Amino acid sequence: MTNRRGANAVEPIRDLEQIQQIKEYLLHRSYRDYFLFVFGINSGLRISDILPLRVMDVKYTKHLKVREKKTGNARKTIITDTLRNEIEKYTKRYADSDYLFPSKKGGAPISRIQAWHIIHQAAKACRVEGAIGTHTLRKTFGYHFYQKTKDVAMLQYIFGHSSPSITLRYIGINDDMVDEALESFSL
């Protein structure tokens, strides 16, 4: 697929089978890394807002509340049943004050670069094509939310975008629609 947004733009993972393969790959390697992936694709948060979270931020609440690093905006989003179940299993072994994604070096969460390596390596091992990075998690959430609901206005609100066209471009729907239209076109 041609990427019309530039060489550095990452893509959502569109194929549900590939998402499952990555989950299984990560689960066999590291429960923390598996949870990072699951958390990212089910929350729609940016990696910069995920990594500093502590157990107490997610364990005893129905909503994730963060102040977005990029925008400075307060954001509140419900914790889905799927994510709630994963949080309950994952946090059993951690104290409330522990980071959700602790570095093996201790005392701090993993870095954005470490998160990128985790996601990128898993995608490579599972032969996921396209540019994959930490932002892939958020885009994957958005892509599948849109495919399930077709509610671009709600997704625009969730992401804090200024227009529906930005949201569709962000999750790669515009690229999909252009590719589909061009594949069926001939003179």
Side-chain angles (χ1 to χ4, degrees):
M1 180 165 110
T2 304
N3 187 339
R4 291 175 244 320
R5 290 170 285 167
N8 294 328
V10 298
E11 296 291 324
I13 302 169
R14 293 170 173 81
D15 187 331
L16 292 172
E17 247 181 70
Q18 288 183 325
I19 290 171
Q20 193 57 40
Q21 287 172 354
I22 290 174
K23 284 181 182 179
E24 289 173 21
Y25 172 83
L26 289 171
L27 188 55
H28 289 13
R29 291 183 51 91
S30 163
Y31 192 37
R32 179 201 66 192
D33 297 352
Y34 161 82
F35 184 62
L36 174 67
F37 182 76
V38 169
F39 194 94
I41 65 172
N42 282 285
S43 70
L45 294 174
R46 290 179 184 91
I47 199 74
S48 59
D49 298 323
I50 292 172
L51 295 179
L53 291 173
R54 294 183 184 266
V55 171
M56 65 185 137
D57 296 327
V58 300
K59 193 171 184 179
Y60 306 107
T61 182
K62 290 185 74 166
H63 291 88
L64 289 168
K65 296 172 188 161
V66 298
R67 176 144 321 264
E68 295 179 322
K69 278 198 190 277
K70 181 178 179 182
T71 65
N73 295 334
R75 177 156 176 224
K76 177 182 165 187
T77 184
I78 194 160
I79 297 173
T80 64
D81 288 341
T82 299
L83 189 52
R84 165 66 44 223
N85 291 335
E86 292 292 342
I87 288 169
E88 286 174 9
K89 285 188 282 186
Y90 179 77
T91 58
K92 282 180 185 176
R93 60 188 185 157
Y94 291 107
D96 289 353
S97 61
D98 287 344
Y99 286 106
L100 269 184
F101 306 102
S103 170
K104 290 181 174 124
K105 295 175 185 165
I110 62 172
S111 70
R112 187 182 180 104
I113 292 168
Q114 285 175 286
W116 181 87
H117 280 290
I118 291 163
I119 303 308
H120 189 261
Q121 188 61 38
K124 187 176 175 183
C126 295
R127 295 185 173 98
V128 176
E129 293 187 19
I132 303 295
T134 55
H135 223 54
T136 293
L137 303 179
R138 181 170 157 94
K139 289 185 177 194
T140 298
F141 166 87
Y143 180 85
H144 290 283
F145 180 92
Y146 178 76
Q147 291 300 338
K148 207 171 233 182
T149 67
K150 299 298 185 201
D151 191 343
V152 70
M154 181 59 68
L155 187 57
Q156 174 191 341
Y157 177 78
I158 290 168
F159 280 166
H161 290 159
S162 59
S163 73
S165 63
I166 289 171
T167 300
L168 291 174
R169 185 172 62 241
Y170 179 81
I171 62 172
I173 295 295
N174 291 352
D175 289 349
D176 288 353
M177 291 173 10
V178 169
D179 287 350
E180 194 176 304
L182 290 175
E183 282 176 357
S184 64
F185 179 80
S186 69
L187 292 175

